[in-house]
């Protein structure tokens, strides 16, 4: 019996054969325009009267299997139909060869339909009447066009589209779906104006850190790539994935988890900064400082701390991670080095005023860590306002710059710290100024020998400060 490639008539023929009690081995199924089979129309027309019944599950299974391109599918389905007349529970026996084969063919159909819905790419063309039309090219493995058509009609209802395939053509004009003849790839457009935008979008959402090439190729087989506009990007993106991943690990921050409290309202009493008359008013006004952008990510303003009558003021660079969270200066690792050095030099930190040139913590995120980042000149300049207020209210006899940033903030000295260290300097108002290293410098020294030598030198600088301002010294034990 000759049957068309996709024929609902196949089911009718099968029913008639079964009613005629034609055993499966007696039927030669052929597809297309081949020669006549072993049996002609006489067999089909010869038998009637046998009542047929099959489980509902067979109908659903047969509707999928018949779409498969396997030439043996009709023989398989007829054999199942024949056996089901006597073996009513046959479809429940998964180990049965015929059932297993039919289920495998049905899975192939479902997979082919999924791929078509996922990998069809429409390209815009002129419909000849000044309107929009879209054409796509796809190469299904099986005869699935009729089964998959409802998906495209529902998804692209308002579009006029055509899907060309070697197995036929689907045409939708907004009202009616038609099936057309088989087409060739040459009939399909090769690109449209939107594809460059699509490639840009695809490259921007490609996450190299989540790349799994084997899984990607299993879900998006390479044989479909030739129809995808983004395909030309895939190999270069995969090749560059390792470098981009490493770059993300080293430099890209995760989404910042800002821990700053709600912005404090400006103190009405000090809303006019020129009217600040006390250290307390200055500290209060600094909490709502917006003179630069560092407040955006910092937890809070870290103002200076110490006696208002302190004879020495130490000025560092900026608060660190722990200072930012606690709101107190010099309490982190560098602050602990500072405390030990002060004690070794015989000085009492509680008698000194300690502060920073910049009042907000500047950092960059690496994973969950907040890594110190040096403030720029504009940020230092913006914070000079608060530093001047602090020193103006405390009026120390001596100011000590801890590190190059503090030295530049206080004096404008743009040279190296080494050149200024040990020299007698002065602030614009004449207050004596000394410069030494920041305690964090000692923490960063990799070699113990150098660290010990620089620590001794730092302590010597502090002892010099003690000799200039004896009131800073620790009281002698009785």
């Amino acid at each position: 019996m000759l049957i068309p490639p996709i024929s609902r008539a196949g089911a009718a023929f099968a029913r008639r054969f079964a009613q005629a009690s034609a055993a499966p081995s007696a039927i030669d199924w052929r597809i297309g325009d081949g020669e006549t089979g072993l049996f002609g129309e006489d067999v089909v027309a010869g038998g009637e009267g046998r009542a047929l019944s099959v489980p509902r599950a067979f109908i659903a299974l047969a509707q999928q299997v018949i779409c498969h391109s396997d030439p043996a599918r009709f023989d398989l389905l007829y054999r199942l139909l024949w056996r089901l007349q006597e073996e009513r529970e046959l479809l429940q026996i998964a180990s049965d060869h015929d059932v297993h084969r039919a289920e495998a063919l049905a899975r192939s159909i479902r997979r082919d339909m999924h791929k078509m819905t996922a990998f069809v790419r429409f390209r815009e063309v002129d419909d000849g009447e000044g309107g929009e039309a879209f054409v796509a090219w796809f190469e299904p493995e099986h005869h699935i066009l009729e089964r998959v058509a409802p998906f495209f009609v529902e998804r692209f209802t308002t579009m006029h589209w055509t899907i060309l395939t070697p197995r036929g053509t689907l045409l939708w004009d907004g009202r009616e779906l038609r099936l057309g003849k088989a087409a060739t790839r040459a009939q399909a457009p090769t690109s449209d104006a939107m594809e460059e935008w699509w490639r840009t979008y695809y490259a921007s959402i490609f996450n190299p850190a989540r790349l799994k090439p084997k899984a990607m190729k299993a879900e998006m087989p390479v044989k479909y790539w030739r129809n995808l506009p983004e395909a030309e990007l895939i190999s270069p993106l995969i090749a560059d994935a390792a470098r981009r991943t490493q770059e993300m690990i080293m430099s890209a921050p995760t989404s910042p988890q800002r821990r700053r409290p709600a912005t404090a309202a400006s103190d009405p009493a000090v809303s006019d900064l020129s009217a600040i008359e006390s250290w307390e008013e200055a500290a209060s006004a600094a909490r709502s400082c917006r003179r630069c952008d560092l407040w955006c990510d910092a937890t809070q303003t870290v103002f200076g701390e110490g006696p208002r009558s302190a004879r020495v003021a130490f000025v560092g660079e900026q608060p660190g991670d722990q200072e930012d969270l606690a709101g107190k200066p010099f309490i982190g690792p560098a602050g602990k080095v500072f405390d030990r050095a002060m004690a070794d030099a015989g000085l009492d930190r509680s008698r000194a005023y300690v502060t920073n040139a910049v009042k907000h913590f500047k950092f960059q995120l690496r994973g969950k860590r907040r890594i110190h980042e040096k403030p720029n000149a504009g940020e230092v300049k913006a914070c000079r306002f608060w530093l001047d207020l602090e020193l103006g209210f405390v009026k120390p006899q001596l100011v000590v710059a801890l590190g190059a940033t503090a030295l530049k903030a206080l004096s404008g000295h743009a040279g190296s710290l080494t050149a200024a260290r040990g020299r007698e300097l002065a602030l614009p108002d004449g207050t004596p100024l000394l410069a030494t290293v920041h305690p964090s410098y000692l923490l960063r020294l990799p070699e113990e020998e150098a660290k010990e030598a620089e620590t001794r030198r730092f302590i010597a600088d502090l002892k010099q400060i003690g000799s200039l301002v004896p009131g800073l010294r620790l009281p002698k034990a009785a």
Side-chain angles (χ1 to χ4, degrees), residues 1 15 32 133 139 209 219 253 271 277 291 299 325 371 394 404 408 413:
M1 173 57 61
R15 189 181 305 110
E139 298 162 72
E219 182 61 26
S271 57
E277 297 180 348
R291 301 175 72 87
T299 303
L325 297 175
I371 305 300
V394 176
K408 186 173 182 180
H413 177 79

Side-chain angles (χ1 to χ4, degrees), residues 27 38 45 111 159 169 218 233 321 353 364 383 387 469:
I27 302 175
L38 295 176
R111 185 166 54 250
M159 293 168 47
T169 299
L233 300 176
D321 184 82
Y353 185 85
Q364 59 174 285
C383 240
L387 182 59
V469 186

Side-chain angles (χ1 to χ4, degrees), residues 22-42:
S25 59
I27 302 175
D28 178 22
W29 297 88
R30 297 185 186 179
I31 303 172
D33 299 325
E35 298 177 353
T36 303
L38 295 176
F39 299 92
E41 293 292 335
D42 292 343

Side-chain angles (χ1 to χ4, degrees), residues 145-198:
L145 293 187
E146 291 178 71
R147 294 187 63 82
V148 80
F151 169 87
F152 290 99
V153 171
E154 182 177 352
R155 180 65 63 89
F156 306 106
T157 304
T158 60
M159 293 168 47
H160 293 190
W161 50 261
T162 302
I163 301 177
L164 305 172
T165 87
R167 298 182 183 276
T169 299
L170 290 175
L171 304 101
W172 172 254
D173 61 6
R175 297 186 302 274
E176 182 183 11
L177 178 70
R178 289 176 290 130
L179 289 172
K181 296 180 179 178
T184 65
R185 185 183 180 85
Q187 295 175 260
T190 56
S191 65
D192 70 8
M194 288 298 296
E195 292 191 357
E196 190 59 35
W197 292 90
W198 167 247

Side-chain angles (χ1 to χ4, degrees), residues 381-448:
K381 183 179 180 181
C383 240
R384 177 63 189 269
F385 172 83
W386 301 113
L387 182 59
D388 286 344
L389 280 178
E390 287 181 286
L391 298 180
F393 291 121
V394 176
K395 293 182 171 55
Q397 296 177 10
L398 174 67
V399 175
V400 180
L402 300 173
T405 299
L407 177 62
K408 186 173 182 180
L410 288 163
S411 66
H413 177 79
S416 68
L417 178 66
T418 302
R421 192 175 186 180
R423 290 175 52 193
E424 294 183 359
L425 306 171
L427 299 181
D429 64 359
T431 304
L433 171 66
L434 290 179
T436 185
V437 296
H438 193 283
S440 63
Y441 165 72
L442 305 176
L443 288 173
R444 293 195 300 269
L445 291 172
E447 298 178 0
E448 284 301 319

Side-chain angles (χ1 to χ4, degrees), residues 116 119-125 134-138 152 161-165 169-170 183-184 187-189 227:
M116 185 168 177
F119 299 128
V120 160
R121 295 289 188 271
F122 287 107
R123 288 175 170 128
E124 186 175 354
V125 298
F134 298 86
V135 178
W137 167 256
F138 192 75
F152 290 99
W161 50 261
T162 302
I163 301 177
L164 305 172
T165 87
T169 299
L170 290 175
T184 65
Q187 295 175 260
N227 297 323

Side-chain angles (χ1 to χ4, degrees), residues 10 23 38 69 103 107 118 154 172 179 230 247 252 256 260-261 288 299 303 324 340 389 395 403 476:
L38 295 176
S69 56
E103 292 290 353
R107 283 196 299 273
E154 182 177 352
W172 172 254
L179 289 172
E230 66 271 24
E247 188 176 273
R260 66 177 183 273
S288 54
T299 303
F303 213 60
D324 171 74
R340 287 196 298 270
L389 280 178
K395 293 182 171 55
K476 292 183 179 179

